[in-house]
Amino acid sequence: MSVLTNLFKRKSATVTTAATSAATATVRWTPQYIREICSPLVAEENFMNLFLSLPEVFFPIDFIASRIAKAHFELKKSKDDSVVWCNRRMDKVLARPNCVMSWSEVIYSHFVHKLATGNAFLRAAMAEDTADTERKYRWCDHYWPLPAQDVRVEPPRDRVPLYGVAETADLISGYRVDSLGYGQLRFPAWQIWHDRDGVADLYRGSQYLKSPSRLLAAMKPISNLIAVYEARNVIYVKRGGIGFLVSLKQDETGTAAMTAAEKEDLIAQVNERYGVTDGRAPIGVTDIPLSFIRTNLSISELQPFEETLEDAVKIAGVFGIPSVLVPRKDQGTFSNQSNAEKAAYCGVIIPMARQFCEDLTRFLGLDRDGYYLDMNFSDVDCLQQGLKEAEQVKKLVNDRCAAQFDRGLITLNDWRAQMHESQLDEEEMPIFSKLKFQMTPEELDEIKRVQGSTATTRNETDNQTEYDNGTSQTPIIPNESD
């Protein structure tokens, strides 16, 4: 089971010999060992290895990242929150931000690095002599997520004016990526969006302006997990030391030990004649009186599954995932699983995605032209439970807009925007951009005609009676003569 432990780099890198290997094998998962693999010099790479190799670490990170990546991202106008259906620049970015990855792949990579290492970096690949660096979305077609574990924030050579009046250029001279096979890549600060998942380290060093990973708070459960996996592997594969054969021979003085020749003969007989393979006998026979003392523990006695579940719940809790969502063999017995997933969306996933949209909007410069990026989770099954309530809220908003329009407070386009519909062109449909007291008599008559037909349809719907069998019928009102 050295596969997992060999994945980790340690702060004190030394030449490995047989002696040092034996020595380090005895101190694995001690407090000193944990401190070494969590050192800022190697922690980020170790945490990415944990995400790729340990399912209990993979689950909560993938749970959040995959669901955000599946959201529908939309470009909207800041003025009225209407959806912009045609913007060639952003439509291309939201489809394929670079020549290799789709938008969902970029989002997934971004949040995997952010949650595993505490940092995520997105580069807008542009010419360094670009004049308008604020509105990147106008000039940039290629956006790349950078491997956060290989990125270093480089401070300026002069003194850093911390806790004072400073601009980005006063704190950051650039970003360096130590990429295998490509050497060191350097990018100017204005091309990089640094998305942190915590508090920034304001002191010089390898972690300058970077945030520590949440996994630091879960290192003890993680170390317990790996120890449990190692113990289970020993039992399943090597079986460990099963026990001792103890001689029961006696003479005039009492118990007598076996001679060296008897021990060698007994071991040879056990290994050559008895077993479950190669035609060997499953029952052993010996003329030496023996007893067996068991020294190993079975899987059920070690209870590793309870320890694994407890550690998995703690790791998931670090990322805000409810315990009932953690995979387990009796997963189907939880009736509140849908509510727990809804709580994860409302408490973790949606707020994190909304913050991502706000920060990316500022990085791309969309806010300078009156746009912003938003996300939509309307097709998520667990969120459909509130669809009825959402429709009721929509009806209340519609009634309020109708009253405001009748009082001359908003236009029809304002009404449409509050209903999350796109505005109509003022040149083609000028009536939609006018307040009610600005309209001509003909336009007012058209409004009354439309509102009258809508009111008639609403009354017909309200007058319908629903029966127990699900059918509905409009009640017949008899004439007075009848």
Side-chain angles (χ1 to χ4, degrees), residues 18 173 200 223 230 237 244 299 349 355 373 393 457 481:
S173 65
S223 63
E230 287 183 331
V237 179
F244 292 91
I299 293 290
I349 296 173
Q355 186 64 47
L373 200 62
V393 171
T457 304
S481 59

Side-chain angles (χ1 to χ4, degrees), residues 338-339 341-343 345-346 350 377-395:
S338 179
N339 293 332
E341 188 169 358
K342 181 179 179 181
Y345 266 99
C346 297
I350 294 179
F377 290 94
S378 59
D379 59 345
V380 177
D381 292 339
C382 67
L383 299 180
Q384 301 305 310
Q385 296 175 355
L387 185 60
K388 181 179 179 180
E389 292 80 1
E391 289 298 322
Q392 292 175 347
V393 171
K394 188 174 182 180
K395 183 179 183 299

Side-chain angles (χ1 to χ4, degrees), residues 6 25 33 73 119 122 125 174 195 314 343 355 383 408-409 433 440 471:
N6 289 339
Y33 185 85
F73 288 84
N119 302 273
L122 183 70
D195 189 11
K314 291 178 180 178
Q355 186 64 47
L383 299 180
L409 298 177
S433 60
T440 64
T471 62

Side-chain angles (χ1 to χ4, degrees), residues 243-476:
F244 292 91
L245 291 174
V246 181
S247 172
L248 296 180
K249 292 173 57 178
Q250 292 184 346
D251 55 15
E252 294 80 3
T253 60
T255 303
M258 289 187 293
T259 64
E262 290 174 333
K263 293 179 183 179
E264 293 293 336
D265 182 62
L266 180 61
I267 292 174
Q269 290 184 33
V270 170
N271 290 333
E272 294 175 4
R273 299 183 183 180
Y274 310 121
V276 294
T277 60
D278 299 331
R280 291 181 290 180
I283 300 175
V285 179
T286 178
D287 56 354
I288 302 176
L290 300 171
S291 68
F292 178 75
I293 300 177
R294 180 184 170 194
T295 59
N296 70 334
L297 294 176
S298 65
I299 293 290
S300 60
E301 291 170 328
L302 286 174
Q303 296 184 339
F305 303 107
E306 288 78 3
E307 175 66 27
T308 299
L309 178 59
E310 182 180 353
D311 294 331
V313 168
K314 291 178 180 178
I315 296 171
V318 171
F319 295 95
I321 305 301
S323 60
V324 297
L325 297 178
V326 176
R328 64 192 80 193
K329 64 179 181 180
D330 56 346
Q331 193 77 17
T333 62
F334 292 98
S335 59
N336 60 341
Q337 197 164 1
S338 179
N339 293 332
E341 188 169 358
K342 181 179 179 181
Y345 266 99
C346 297
V348 179
I349 296 173
I350 294 179
M352 192 175 293
R354 182 175 291 114
Q355 186 64 47
F356 169 84
C357 290
E358 293 176 1
D359 294 342
L360 186 57
T361 294
R362 288 190 292 269
F363 175 70
L364 299 179
L366 293 169
D367 54 329
R368 295 178 177 270
D369 290 339
Y371 299 115
Y372 71 94
L373 200 62
D374 198 11
M375 77 291 165
N376 183 0
F377 290 94
S378 59
D379 59 345
V380 177
D381 292 339
C382 67
L383 299 180
Q384 301 305 310
Q385 296 175 355
L387 185 60
K388 181 179 179 180
E389 292 80 1
E391 289 298 322
Q392 292 175 347
V393 171
K394 188 174 182 180
K395 183 179 183 299
L396 293 175
V397 173
N398 187 61
D399 294 342
R400 184 193 67 199
C401 290
Q404 290 177 338
F405 174 75
D406 287 337
R407 292 178 175 86
L409 298 177
I410 62 175
T411 66
L412 290 174
N413 267 338
D414 296 333
W415 188 345
R416 290 177 61 86
Q418 294 192 46
M419 299 303 297
H420 301 288
E421 300 290 342
S422 60
Q423 292 185 342
L424 299 181
D425 190 0
E426 297 180 5
E427 296 181 358
E428 297 180 0
M429 302 288 289
I431 188 175
F432 279 84
S433 60
K434 294 181 180 181
L435 296 174
K436 194 169 184 179
F437 60 81
Q438 295 174 325
M439 295 181 180
T440 64
E442 292 78 10
E443 291 173 337
L444 290 174
D445 291 339
E446 181 68 15
I447 293 296
K448 289 180 182 179
R449 186 185 66 79
V450 173
Q451 288 182 333
S453 62
T454 304
T456 302
T457 304
R458 186 186 302 113
N459 291 334
E460 291 176 354
T461 303
D462 295 340
N463 288 334
Q464 287 184 341
T465 303
E466 185 173 346
Y467 296 94
D468 293 338
N469 60 2
T471 62
S472 61
Q473 180 178 346
T474 303
I476 300 176

